Amino acid sequence: GESVGLHLPTLSVQEGDNSIINCAYSNSASDYFIWYKQESGKGPQFIIDIRSNMDKRQGQRVTVLLNKTVKHLSLQIAATQPGDSAVYFCAEPSGGGNKLTFGTGTQLKVEL
Amino acid sequence: EPEVTQTPSHQVTQMGQEVILRCVPISNHLYFYWYRQILGQKVEFLVSFYNNEISEKSEIFDDQFSVERPDGSNFTLKIRSTKLEDSAMYFCASERGTSSDSQYFGPGTRLLVL
């Protein structure tokens, strides 16, 4: 079935290093993806999105890469800071409407 | 920056009781959603709402659940007779509805059913 999922449940990085969080999807017709950050006890916070007509999009300290050939999505965080510690979800609209299907999430831990 | 707000932040209730979770979406948004997240699990879609009616709902959203937009600002989720397994974080989200927009989530209501 269609799914959006993540490769690794936990990622630990040193402060100042770059982080790469991965996501795989199975529906080759998917054309829009979103990354959310969820800090403990808070709601998902929109980080960045990308459409399938792009393979890269940059924001402030974040870059999303889309590889449609292997149906893979990644979120790169430059110069990771303690405030980046959170669970990161990729998500996509599914089912013909706008409802979002979330992956299981990757816990990013930033070590000082 | 406008944001989605939710009340209460925490709700404790007895099994079988009715609860109403409230949300104020971003003012110029047209699509509204409820999601839930059981502790340690991923966020799950419950229901979407547009033009004063439900546009889509999940299997979780059974007859015990209902949504309402009673006025121009509030969006509510009612659970008529709560069950233990309804304990979760409930997130409201809203979306402007243009092709380039995404959903923005509220801070959530933590519901605990005893």
Side-chain angles (χ1 to χ4, degrees):
Chain A
E2 299 174 1
S3 67
V4 177
L6 296 169
H7 289 309
L8 298 173
T10 303
L11 175 66
S12 295
V13 298
Q14 293 290 321
E15 181 180 7
D17 287 352
N18 297 333
S19 303
I20 300 176
I21 300 170
N22 297 304
C23 179
Y25 63 95
S26 58
N27 181 8
S28 57
S30 297
D31 62 359
Y32 180 56
F33 302 91
I34 311 120
W35 279 101
Y36 284 92
K37 171 186 180 183
Q38 187 178 25
E39 296 176 90
S40 181
K42 297 184 179 180
Q45 177 187 2
F46 174 87
I47 302 173
I48 192 168
D49 58 4
I50 189 167
R51 296 203 170 272
S52 59
N53 60 352
M54 305 170 69
D55 51 21
K56 180 179 180 179
R57 191 171 187 208
Q58 287 186 294
Q60 186 177 14
R61 277 200 312 117
V62 295
T63 301
V64 55
L65 300 178
L66 176 62
N67 186 331
K68 295 181 285 293
T69 302
V70 296
K71 291 183 282 189
H72 183 269
L73 188 71
S74 68
L75 176 71
Q76 300 180 1
I77 304 173
T80 313
Q81 303 168 359
D84 295 326
S85 294
V87 177
Y88 290 81
F89 295 95
C90 60
E92 63 168 336
S94 62
N98 291 345
K99 70 175 185 183
L100 292 177
T101 297
F102 284 79
T104 51
T106 293
Q107 173 78 56
L108 176 64
K109 296 182 178 179
V110 181
E111 299 170 350
L112 303 177
Chain B
E1 185 175 326
E3 57 184 19
V4 177
T5 60
Q6 291 184 242
T7 54
S9 58
H10 295 78
Q11 174 95 46
V12 180
T13 190
Q14 294 290 324
M15 188 170 58
Q17 295 296 304
E18 174 183 286
V19 294
I20 298 176
L21 310 183
R22 292 182 167 80
C23 168
V24 179
I26 295 173
S27 63
N28 63 345
H29 285 192
L30 300 177
Y31 292 79
F32 313 110
Y33 306 84
W34 284 100
Y35 292 82
R36 79 172 186 189
Q37 185 179 32
I38 294 172
L39 185 64
Q41 299 185 21
K42 60 183 179 180
V43 178
E44 302 174 285
F45 169 78
L46 291 178
V47 65
S48 58
F49 191 87
Y50 170 72
N51 199 26
N52 284 318
E53 60 182 23
I54 292 173
S55 49
E56 190 172 2
K57 59 184 180 179
S58 72
E59 293 179 353
I60 303 168
F61 195 88
D62 61 22
D63 292 345
Q64 293 301 311
F65 291 85
S66 62
V67 290
E68 191 177 32
R69 188 159 162 81
D71 52 43
S73 60
N74 291 284
F75 180 50
T76 62
L77 173 70
K78 180 192 290 186
I79 308 175
R80 290 188 183 83
S81 179
T82 50
K83 302 186 287 288
L84 296 176
E85 53 266 37
D86 292 329
S87 296
M89 281 288 285
Y90 286 82
F91 295 107
C92 172
S94 70
E95 177 186 342
R96 190 168 47 186
T98 63
S99 61
S100 60
D101 202 32
S102 187
Q103 294 176 29
Y104 293 85
F105 285 74
T109 293
R110 183 175 297 280
L111 176 65
L112 178 61
V113 182
L114 301 177

